Amino acid sequence: MKAIELQHPGGIDNLRLVERLMPEPGRQEMIIKVKATALNYRDVEIAHGSYHTAFALPLVPLSDGVGEVVAVGAEVTRFKVGDRVCATFWQRWIGGSFAMAEPSYQRGGPIDGLLSEFARLDEQAAVLAPEHLSDVEAATLPCAAVTAWHALFTEGRLKPGETVLSLGTGGVSLFAVQFAAAAGARVIVTSSSVDKLTRAKALGAHDGINYRSDPDWASAVLALTGGLGADHIIEVGGPQSFAQSLRASARGAQINVIGYLGGSEGAVNPLDIFRRQVRARGIPVGSRESFEAMNRALAVNRLTPVIDKVLPWREAASAFRHLEHGSPFGKVVLDHMQ
């Protein structure tokens, strides 16, 4: 079979199309024909060698994808040939707290990802893809969608009428907009683009703040909420935006730290946490239990992921560059049937 490997650290140009042996299913394992994969910023960092953890190379990238089961090993009971499944990011985090997750079993690094024609999955590390979604749409779910769901519902216990502030219009942020709006929450979104704010409102956001024309966006959030602030914040900027996220927080708010697009250096005033009794937590994607709950909500509400761009899977390098430099609105996906 064909696969794309990251053969050396230091750049997207080190992605190479190679021939690999077809995988065979072991006990409680299955083989999928990969139909589509999706990129996350983590994948770009791994390719550049700037991710906080170094992985052994060569490595098949990409944790997110969907495929059709074409073979099953002994004692497989959860799936059958012909089923359409998504892989989970954490291969051994079935449910419960993050203490159950094993770092050595993250797909796309340190174990091989799905940027190939076929892949071997443990039956415990997959979920059925929602029937109403296309392959391209379903491929986007394992990281970005599960992260947003885990933050707002598994951990956050979001309630109707609460206010959600979603920073930016990347994959996690837009899933958060859709999920929060479907749950009856008030949603505020930030962006530097008027067009993106308009599109986010079409997805369910109630208010938009242009942080380029209004750099003091925390004050804008307070103004929109009558001084109360946001109850749940999807924080993707890291230290450079965290101080404003604190200022924009309601009393007892929950700040979900997803990423660090603004860098990893910065200062936080702990008094702001104390005054508002804010809870800040990292969201490391989520468990299979969260994934399955999210899929039920997707099906009931007929929600569809926002796709920015779709490319043939052999043009993976172009997709990596688009995610890095193209400021996408939604997910970047690779179609393995092209």
Side-chain angles (χ1 to χ4, degrees):
M1 70 168 187
K2 290 181 170 58
I4 293 178
E5 292 179 344
L6 177 65
Q7 296 188 335
H8 305 283
I12 294 167
D13 292 335
N14 293 321
L15 293 169
R16 295 285 185 272
L17 183 68
V18 299
E19 290 283 346
R20 283 193 167 199
L21 292 175
M22 272 289 296
E24 296 289 335
R27 175 177 170 270
Q28 296 183 339
E29 292 180 334
M30 56 193 181
I31 306 301
I32 63 168
K33 178 176 177 57
V34 181
K35 296 296 190 72
T37 50
L39 279 69
N40 297 288
Y41 198 74
R42 174 183 188 266
D43 303 311
V44 174
E45 289 190 308
I46 291 172
H48 282 301
S50 59
Y51 191 60
H52 56 70
T53 302
F55 300 127
L57 300 178
L59 173 72
V60 176
L62 305 191
S63 57
D64 291 15
V66 66
E68 180 183 343
V69 177
V70 294
V72 296
E75 299 180 34
V76 170
T77 59
R78 297 189 68 238
F79 303 101
K80 63 183 185 302
V81 170
D83 283 345
R84 195 174 63 130
V85 301
C86 295
T88 61
F89 174 72
W90 292 98
Q91 298 291 280
R92 296 193 176 182
W93 186 10
I94 305 301
S97 75
F98 182 59
M100 303 302 293
E102 296 183 38
S104 58
Y105 287 89
Q106 299 171 79
R107 189 162 289 281
I111 65 174
D112 279 335
L114 300 176
L115 195 53
S116 56
E117 291 183 305
F118 297 88
R120 179 171 53 223
L121 302 181
D122 187 300
E123 70 165 336
Q124 300 297 334
V127 301
L128 286 172
E131 292 183 1
H132 74 288
L133 298 184
S134 68
D135 292 332
V136 164
E137 291 167 337
T140 69
L141 300 178
C143 279
V146 174
T147 297
W149 181 271
H150 197 78
L152 293 175
F153 298 99
T154 307
E155 296 284 354
R157 311 296 183 190
L158 176 67
K159 300 178 181 63
E162 292 185 324
T163 297
V164 173
L165 171 62
S166 190
L167 304 186
T169 54
V172 176
S173 299
L174 290 182
F175 276 118
V177 168
Q178 292 177 284
F179 293 155
R186 179 183 182 180
V187 184
I188 302 171
V189 67
T190 68
S191 176
S192 61
S193 164
V194 173
D195 175 64
K196 288 182 178 180
L197 290 174
T198 300
R199 294 166 70 185
K201 288 179 181 179
L203 293 172
H206 298 80
D207 301 285
I209 299 170
N210 188 321
Y211 62 77
R212 181 161 294 166
S213 60
D214 194 354
D216 184 15
W217 48 265
S219 294
V221 172
L222 293 173
L224 286 168
T225 58
L228 296 177
D231 302 296
H232 303 261
I233 298 176
I234 301 298
E235 167 58 69
V236 299
Q240 299 305 312
S241 59
F242 195 89
Q244 287 214 62
S245 289
L246 275 175
R247 288 180 47 227
S249 297
R251 289 185 179 183
Q254 304 178 52
I255 301 179
N256 300 284
V257 180
I258 310 299
Y260 43 91
L261 295 177
S264 57
E265 301 296 326
V268 172
N269 183 355
L271 283 177
D272 287 333
I273 298 176
F274 178 78
R275 291 186 186 108
R276 291 174 171 80
Q277 293 294 289
V278 166
R279 284 170 285 173
R281 57 171 168 258
I283 299 294
V285 190
S287 65
R288 194 189 85 198
E289 184 178 41
S290 282
F291 201 157
E292 291 170 332
M294 179 196 74
N295 280 353
R296 292 192 293 270
L298 285 169
V300 167
N301 292 282
R302 308 298 290 180
L303 295 178
T304 57
V306 181
I307 309 296
D308 179 86
K309 191 168 189 175
V310 180
L311 290 168
W313 78 282
R314 296 191 190 195
E315 297 179 22
S318 295
F320 274 70
R321 293 188 183 95
H322 180 69
L323 179 58
E324 184 179 18
H325 301 297
S327 186
F329 184 89
K331 297 293 292 181
V332 179
V333 182
L334 294 169
D335 186 346
H336 285 234
M337 305 312 292
Q338 290 189 42

